[in-house]
Amino acid sequence: MYFKNSVAAIIVIFAIIFGAKTFFSDLVHVGYDDNLTLAERIAPLGQVYLEGDIDVNVIKAPVKTSAKVRSGEEIYTTVCASCHASGVLSAPKFGNKADWAPRVKRGIADLVKVAITGVGAMPPKGTCMNCSDDELTAAIEHMIK
């Protein structure tokens, strides 16, 4: 009995040592390049700018839009129709003059502004984050026909 427990304990100890060695041996060399100079090894990974260091109005994030301008009908069919075809959550229905009349009175520019920012249950851009303002305008014009 004593022999079985001793052998089992030795096997467990070796398993722990081997497992730890295997686990930590891969962590030591992750992303390490032997050809780097000391200055390159200790160089900062990024930069910190304090308020006033740079003019943030000059920096603009790139806006990704589709390379091909899509028609209003295409935008409506692929994005807008999921809510505007049936009027989900009070969305004005496609082609329904009564639904669109009070909105059209505010003008197309306001409709586009609301479409970009979102309103009520409609998220910004109606979830079409790669739609340009012109494509949204075309989609709105297509829906209010």
Side-chain angles (χ1 to χ4, degrees):
M1 179 86 164
Y2 175 74
F3 180 71
K4 278 185 174 181
N5 290 340
S6 298
V7 172
I10 291 172
I11 290 172
V12 169
I13 291 171
F14 277 115
I16 291 171
I17 292 170
F18 179 75
K21 180 181 178 275
T22 303
F23 177 76
F24 289 110
S25 67
D26 290 335
L27 296 180
V28 174
H29 297 289
V30 172
Y32 184 76
D33 185 0
D34 290 331
N35 298 323
L36 294 177
T37 65
L38 179 61
E40 291 171 329
R41 288 182 190 169
I42 63 171
L45 297 175
Q47 295 176 332
V48 175
Y49 293 101
L50 299 176
E51 185 176 349
D53 285 350
I54 58 172
D55 185 9
V56 293
N57 294 324
V58 174
I59 301 171
K60 293 186 178 180
V63 177
K64 290 185 177 182
T65 58
S66 61
K68 177 186 136 202
V69 177
R70 297 166 289 184
S71 69
E73 182 179 3
E74 187 177 353
I75 297 296
Y76 169 77
T77 305
T78 58
V79 181
C80 309
S82 58
C83 295
H84 289 279
S86 61
V88 172
L89 296 169
S90 302
K93 293 179 189 170
F94 173 78
N96 186 321
K97 301 290 184 195
D99 285 355
W100 284 101
R103 293 167 176 89
V104 171
K105 284 181 186 175
R106 296 190 317 243
I108 194 76
D110 187 59
L111 286 172
V112 173
K113 180 182 170 188
V114 168
I116 291 169
T117 60
V119 65
M122 186 178 103
K125 292 191 171 188
T127 71
C128 185
M129 299 318 267
N130 66 345
C131 285
S132 69
D133 294 356
D134 292 336
E135 289 174 329
L136 290 174
T137 303
I140 292 167
E141 289 172 347
H142 177 71
M143 285 190 280
I144 62 177
K145 286 182 183 178

